[in-house]
Amino acid sequence: MIANGNYMQKEIAYCGESELEAMDYLPVRGNMDEIFDHLLRIASDNPHLENEWGEYHKSVYQDNYYYSVDGIEYLVQHDIVTDTCVLYELKEK
């Protein structure tokens, strides 16, 4: 089970509310697969956007969506207050 303290996360792409709105990806919940694909393209085109590994954490103001592609675990974290989405790569501690 993915839980705080069990995993590490590394931010690899970000999508703000204005970008999601421009692409007609709002509401987020109904467009998560498209948002994941979009963020994955951003990450593959811009590897310099990657951050360092940090502790996995989830707050009450975030919805998490998990994906697995070619053996790599990904998390799209949707901030429900700001309508932003961040793509993380996950790994076990």
Side-chain angles (χ1 to χ4, degrees), residues 14-80:
Y14 170 87
C15 193
E17 179 183 19
S18 59
E19 186 176 353
L20 293 170
E21 188 173 20
M23 295 182 314
D24 203 24
Y25 287 161
L26 295 177
V28 167
R29 192 168 293 192
N31 294 291
M32 189 46 64
D33 290 340
E34 292 85 358
I35 292 168
F36 170 71
D37 290 340
H38 176 72
L39 288 168
L40 200 55
R41 280 191 304 275
I42 291 172
S44 66
D45 292 344
N46 301 283
H48 63 280
L49 295 177
E50 289 186 10
N51 287 318
E52 299 295 319
W53 288 101
E55 293 281 329
Y56 167 84
H57 61 278
K58 178 190 182 302
S59 79
V60 295
Y61 300 108
Q62 297 165 330
D63 287 334
N64 286 348
Y65 301 87
Y66 301 96
Y67 294 87
S68 182
V69 177
D70 298 329
I72 301 172
E73 300 297 321
Y74 295 99
L75 159 69
V76 176
Q77 204 164 60
H78 171 224
D79 185 306
I80 59 176

Side-chain angles (χ1 to χ4, degrees), residues 6-10 53-56 89-93:
N6 293 340
Y7 280 79
M8 301 291 287
Q9 66 184 23
K10 175 173 59 170
W53 288 101
E55 293 281 329
Y56 167 84
E89 185 177 332
L90 296 176
K91 70 177 182 179
E92 287 188 66
K93 277 186 150 179

